[in-house]
Amino acid sequence: KYDKHGNCLGGEPIQISFGLIYPPVALKMRKDRHSGKFYITGQIDDIPNESILYFNNIEISHEMFLGCFSSTGHLLWQLQDTVSQYAAYFGGRPAIDNQGNIYLAGGPSINSDYFNGFSIDTYGPVVLKIDSTGHNVWGRKSNTNLELTQPMGITLNGNEVVITGQGGYLQWIGDTATIQSSPNEAFNVFIARFNAATGALIKMDT
């Protein structure tokens, strides 16, 4: 922790270790300002037969993962998807509301995966709301014609969850709203807004 002048005020070791000297891991952290808990997710680049990342000696061998750590850095729980060695990920830092719920946006690269019991049977982006004990509240998945339709960031705005990213065609399952690039056109930047309580799509724009 640092003050506004850049002076170190102290820190806590977190129960994370690596199996490689230069691990190909991009970790992203968010601290719950109310509970003091830390939430860590990110992306792992596959290296066959190499153990890369550990949360308190638990191997993180799948690309979609979330770890919850206490205010003193001890692992409370961790979640991973069920399919390993595919370039799935969660984009951006987790978002946390005042009740301690966690919001994640990510993308699979295989249409037969599960994350914490949520079925991911499409190639498109997913958005998840998970409570502070690690249980799913709701999840949304989408259809796309391009694996590169990817959410890159997620935030909260009042009672809305907002994600942004890049892509071509995108439609959320259960909704009719779509975005679509024209042939030979570069990717669009999209913004999708969801009701934080229910997961209902409010609007999607490019």
Side-chain angles (χ1 to χ4, degrees), residues 63-180:
E63 284 77 5
M64 299 181 83
F65 61 88
L66 174 66
C68 173
F69 298 82
S70 71
S71 60
T72 55
H74 292 87
L75 179 68
L76 300 177
W77 49 262
Q78 56 83 30
L79 303 172
Q80 302 182 52
D81 66 329
T82 57
V83 178
S84 61
Q85 296 186 350
Y86 286 91
Y89 72 101
F90 285 122
R93 296 194 297 162
I96 304 173
D97 64 21
N98 291 331
Q99 290 72 48
N101 297 299
I102 308 103
Y103 301 82
L104 300 168
S109 62
I110 187 169
N111 64 345
S112 57
D113 200 357
Y114 287 85
F115 186 83
N116 204 28
F118 178 69
S119 173
I120 304 172
D121 54 5
T122 64
Y123 284 104
V126 297
V127 182
L128 297 166
K129 178 179 180 178
I130 299 170
D131 69 21
S132 60
T133 61
H135 296 97
N136 289 354
V137 179
W138 54 256
R140 297 299 308 270
K141 53 191 172 184
S142 62
N143 282 319
T144 181
N145 59 355
L146 289 170
E147 284 190 35
L148 292 176
T149 298
Q150 299 175 332
M152 307 300 290
I154 183 168
T155 191
L156 294 171
N157 180 29
N159 296 321
E160 296 183 5
V161 183
V162 184
I163 71 168
T164 185
Q166 63 180 18
Y169 174 83
L170 179 61
Q171 181 183 30
W172 296 92
I173 303 298
D175 288 288
T176 58
T178 62
I179 59 171
Q180 187 165 358

Side-chain angles (χ1 to χ4, degrees), residues 26-86:
L27 296 181
K28 297 164 185 177
M29 182 185 75
R30 178 82 68 177
K31 182 178 181 179
D32 185 333
R33 294 178 295 173
H34 301 286
S35 69
K37 295 177 181 177
F38 296 92
Y39 294 93
I40 295 179
T41 186
Q43 183 174 7
I44 301 175
D45 289 338
D46 284 324
I47 295 181
N49 303 316
E50 291 280 5
S51 297
I52 296 173
L53 176 64
Y54 298 88
F55 288 172
N56 190 26
N57 297 320
I58 297 173
E59 182 180 1
I60 305 301
S61 57
H62 299 237
E63 284 77 5
M64 299 181 83
F65 61 88
L66 174 66
C68 173
F69 298 82
S70 71
S71 60
T72 55
H74 292 87
L75 179 68
L76 300 177
W77 49 262
Q78 56 83 30
L79 303 172
Q80 302 182 52
D81 66 329
T82 57
V83 178
S84 61
Q85 296 186 350
Y86 286 91

Side-chain angles (χ1 to χ4, degrees), residues 2-8:
Y2 293 83
D3 65 18
K4 64 182 180 180
H5 302 294
N7 300 307
C8 182

